[in-house]
Amino acid sequence: QVQLVESGGGLVQAGGSLRLSCAQAGRALGTYAMAWFRRPSGNEREFVAAITWRFDNTYYADSVNGRFTISRDNAKNTVYLQMNSLKPEDTAVYYCALTRDTKLPYRLIRADEYNYWGQGTQVTVSS
């Protein structure tokens, strides 16, 4: 069983930065990709960014492209989300997710393609 533990959320002013971390508990056998999704209050969960574990391919939502960077540390079994130039509309609960199955890139933006999820971490951006 895979356990994902997120950290790094908090309150920041618009224009500021935060870095989220998501650590896999145990051995990260067979990870194909990890991703970050977010759920703004009252809205559905939406894709933010994804990264493939072997080839380091990255994918971003248009709304965060150029401001957010997803990266991974294989040795630490951890994925990061560096968030810069934050905006109030980035306020949400952020979740990391993992899939062990090989997927075409267009499927990596879909929440239902991921088997494992973290508990979420709140990010609040004040104006």
Side-chain angles (χ1 to χ4, degrees):
Q1 185 71 12
V2 175
Q3 286 187 305
L4 304 176
V5 180
E6 298 114 332
S7 61
L11 173 64
V12 64
Q13 287 188 331
S17 299
L18 282 174
R19 188 175 83 154
L20 305 183
S21 301
C22 175
Q24 294 185 52
R27 298 179 66 186
L29 295 176
T31 299
Y32 177 74
M34 292 187 71
W36 289 94
F37 288 78
R38 66 187 182 187
R39 187 193 298 273
S41 178
N43 292 320
E44 295 186 354
R45 189 158 37 188
E46 61 186 35
F47 171 75
V48 176
I51 186 167
T52 58
W53 215 246
R54 182 176 180 185
F55 296 110
D56 211 20
N57 296 320
T58 57
Y59 307 90
Y60 296 94
D62 290 342
S63 59
V64 306
N65 198 19
R67 299 187 298 122
F68 292 10
T69 302
I70 189 171
S71 62
R72 55 150 178 72
D73 184 330
N74 284 5
K76 295 182 178 180
N77 295 339
T78 299
V79 65
Y80 304 97
L81 185 68
Q82 178 66 44
M83 305 185 293
N84 298 329
S85 302
L86 282 161
K87 304 175 181 180
E89 52 262 44
D90 295 318
T91 295
V93 178
Y94 283 71
Y95 300 88
C96 70
L98 179 152
T99 179
R100 290 177 167 171
D101 302 320
T102 301
K103 299 182 184 294
L104 293 173
Y106 79 91
R107 297 178 69 177
L108 291 176
I109 68 172
R110 295 174 50 173
D112 58 3
E113 297 287 349
Y114 293 85
N115 310 103
Y116 304 97
W117 291 85
Q119 81 286 354
T121 185
Q122 176 71 46
V123 172
T124 303
V125 184
S126 63
S127 57

